């Protein structure tokens, strides 16, 4: 087994303080490629990724309006992860859409890819999706699911200690 993956998973954390240093375009492309390769239910890939850079004032204002937290303004790049309900797989027995599952898998692929290339992220779900969709001029068939600030962690910013339950607390073996 490859211990490098567990090290990568352990190194990933929710960063809330970013340097003004711009991430290289190649690193952003690497992160987006990791999302593109993510699995999805029935391989539907019902997602869109909106990249908002430091020069996109309208996009940055849309982020700040939908998620009014001072710290997020320090991130140089945002990736808005969106789902496309009409493209998603729906389980027939209960009509459950897997859009959230599919976009979550892609989002975590991006988080791990960012960590792999020395960047930091923070997965944001506590925002107003209606406001964000309106301010980004999204069509009705594209739904914002998460916001991912991306950048270099600010120098000296604390890396939180992860508290995780022990395996025997979360695993039921039968």
């Amino acid at each position: 087994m490859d211990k490098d993956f567990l090290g990568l998973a352990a190194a990933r954390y929710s960063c809330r303080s970013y340097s003004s240093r711009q991430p290289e375009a190649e690193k952003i492309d690497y992160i987006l490629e990791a999302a593109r390769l993510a699995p999805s239910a029935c391989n539907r890939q019902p997602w869109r990724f909106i990249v908002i850079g430091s020069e996109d004032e309208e996009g940055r204002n849309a982020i700040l309006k939908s998620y009014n937290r001072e710290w997020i303004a320090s991130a140089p790049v945002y990736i808005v992860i969106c789902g496309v309900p009409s493209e998603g797989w729906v389980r027939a027995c209960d009509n459950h859409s897997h859009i959230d599952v599919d976009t979550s898998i892609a989002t975590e692929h991006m988080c791990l890819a960012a960590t792999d290339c020395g960047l930091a992220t923070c997965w944001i779900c506590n925002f107003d999706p209606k406001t964000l969709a309106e301010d980004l001029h999204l069509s009705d068939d594209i739904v914002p699911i998460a916001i991912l600030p991306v950048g270099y962690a600010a120098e000296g910013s604390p890396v939180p200690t992860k508290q995780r339950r022990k395996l025997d607390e979360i695993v039921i073996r039968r």
Side-chain angles (χ1 to χ4, degrees):
M1 285 182 272
D2 189 353
K3 298 287 186 192
D4 289 342
F5 179 77
L6 291 180
L8 181 64
R12 185 253 174 254
Y13 71 100
S14 296
C15 178
R16 289 182 176 83
S17 182
Y18 295 88
S19 158
S20 60
R21 179 180 169 194
Q22 295 295 312
E24 296 81 355
E26 299 80 28
K27 290 185 177 184
I28 298 300
D29 288 344
Y30 178 79
I31 292 166
L32 294 167
E33 180 65 7
R36 188 185 73 80
L37 295 173
S40 61
C42 295
N43 197 30
R44 296 283 182 93
Q45 304 166 57
W47 45 52
R48 300 293 183 277
F49 308 108
I50 302 168
V51 180
I52 298 171
S54 57
E55 66 288 339
D56 182 354
E57 191 173 325
E58 181 184 24
R60 295 182 69 77
N61 287 337
I63 297 290
L64 298 174
K65 185 176 171 187
S66 71
Y67 182 72
N68 188 14
R69 304 296 189 284
E70 190 174 313
W71 69 266
I72 198 170
S74 69
V77 174
Y78 307 113
I79 301 173
V80 180
I81 298 90
C82 299
V84 184
S86 64
E87 295 178 7
W89 181 75
V90 177
R91 188 170 47 209
C93 69
D94 63 359
N95 242 13
H96 178 78
S97 170
H98 280 68
I99 293 287
D100 282 350
V101 172
D102 292 341
T103 55
S104 294
I105 295 167
T107 302
E108 189 56 17
H109 270 52
M110 287 191 275
C111 289
L112 292 170
T115 301
D116 187 41
C117 59
L119 297 174
T121 60
C122 184
W123 190 331
I124 308 295
C125 292
N126 184 24
F127 65 96
D128 181 340
K130 184 177 182 206
T131 296
L132 186 58
E134 287 172 2
D135 290 349
L136 291 179
H137 313 290
L138 301 181
S139 60
D140 290 343
D141 63 330
I142 297 180
V143 180
I145 304 288
I147 301 169
L148 195 64
V150 181
Y152 288 96
E155 207 168 305
S157 66
V159 176
T161 303
K162 290 185 180 183
Q163 300 296 323
R164 295 293 188 256
R165 293 180 182 188
K166 295 179 182 177
L167 273 179
D168 64 356
E169 295 179 73
I170 62 170
V171 175
I172 299 169
R173 297 185 193 269
R174 296 180 48 126

